[in-house]
Amino acid sequence: AEFGLNVTNEAARRAGTHTVRKGETLYRIANQYGVSVDDLRRANRMSRSASIQVGQRLSVPDAESR
């Protein structure tokens, strides 16, 4: 996997929702699921200035339906 950005079978199965944990960023979460930060923001109706909070549940778009 080049740069570790390919979606693994495990990440693909978990796509749907993600609960934010301490230390996570949108960039890290997006890479974990193989989607872009912009796609993650759109799926959650977040502005570019919005921040995420520990415990927040994010909708994760399906990487293959983009």
Side-chain angles (χ1 to χ4, degrees):
E2 240 181 282
F3 305 109
L5 298 180
N6 289 346
V7 179
T8 64
N9 288 338
E10 182 180 346
R13 282 196 302 274
R14 290 181 300 185
T17 61
H18 177 88
T19 302
V20 178
R21 292 182 294 249
K22 185 177 180 178
E24 287 186 316
T25 64
L26 281 178
Y27 178 79
R28 180 175 169 192
I29 295 165
N31 282 338
Q32 179 179 343
Y33 291 98
V35 299
S36 72
V37 171
D38 285 338
D39 285 342
L40 196 54
R41 283 187 186 281
R42 271 193 293 278
N44 291 280
R45 298 181 180 148
M46 298 173 72
S47 69
R48 291 188 76 59
S49 61
S51 59
I52 57 175
Q53 305 295 318
V54 171
Q56 181 176 348
R57 290 179 59 92
L58 299 174
S59 294
V60 179
D62 182 355
E64 294 173 12
S65 68
R66 291 182 292 121

